[in-house]
Amino acid sequence: TIDIRGRGDGPADRFVRGVVSDDSTITTSGASGSITVSGESTTGANGLVLGGSTLIGGSGTSGNITLRAASIDGVDSIVIGGDVASSGVLNIRPGGVSAAGALTSDAAVGGNLVTLSSGGTVTQDAAITAGGLLLHGTQPTSNFQLDLATNNVGTLAARFETPAGAGAENVVAGPSGAT
C-alpha cells in the first residue's frame, strides 16, 4: 500500500499546492496493493496536481487507487494531466489533509461543477451530487454509464471531441437508462 499526503499552508498571497507531481511514476506490482494520494491547499491553489508525465498505477497495478483533494475559493481541487490506471477501482473524491496529516472528507461537492473527462468507459457505484456535471469524451470509445437513481445533478452537459458512430450511445444517464 502506498499513501502520499500533502498540505499547502501559507499566506493568502502565496499559492501553495498540497501534492504536485510533474514527472513521477507511482505504481504497485505483484500483490494487489492500493495507492492513495491526498492533497489540500488552504491558499487558493490546487490540492492535488498530477502533471502530464505522471503515471499513477499502470498495467501492473491491480489494487484500488484513491485520489482526494480539497482547495478553497472555487479553485479546482484535483487536476489530472497524467495517466491513472488500475484493474481495481478508481475513487476520485473530495477531502483533504489536516495540519496534523489526518485525512478529512466532504460528503459531496454541493453546488459546484464536476467534470469527468475520459477516453474510455466511466461507470459508478456511488451517487454523484453536484450543481453541474460535464462529461467530456476524448476518444470514439468514450462512454459514460451514470445511471444510479440516487444521483443529484442540477445541470448535465456533454462534449465529445470525436463522437462514436451513428447510433452509438456515448451517455447513459438516469435511473431509467434514458439517453
Side-chain angles (χ1 to χ4, degrees), residues 21-45:
S21 173
D22 284 327
D23 185 16
S24 300
T25 298
I26 302 168
T27 187
T28 62
S29 61
S32 62
S34 63
I35 299 172
T36 301
V37 184
S38 307
E40 179 170 357
S41 174
T42 62
T43 66

Side-chain angles (χ1 to χ4, degrees), residues 129-146:
T129 301
L133 176 62
L134 172 61
L135 306 177
H136 178 221
T138 62
Q139 302 295 321
T141 55
S142 298
N143 187 303
F144 297 87
Q145 303 289 323
L146 308 174

Side-chain angles (χ1 to χ4, degrees), residues 113-168:
L113 173 68
V114 172
T115 301
L116 298 176
S117 181
S118 175
T121 298
V122 175
T123 61
Q124 68 180 126
D125 63 2
I128 297 171
T129 301
L133 176 62
L134 172 61
L135 306 177
H136 178 221
T138 62
Q139 302 295 321
T141 55
S142 298
N143 187 303
F144 297 87
Q145 303 289 323
L146 308 174
D147 55 1
L148 291 183
T150 52
N151 287 339
N152 184 2
V153 175
T155 302
L156 174 64
R159 176 180 179 188
F160 291 89
E161 302 297 329
T162 52

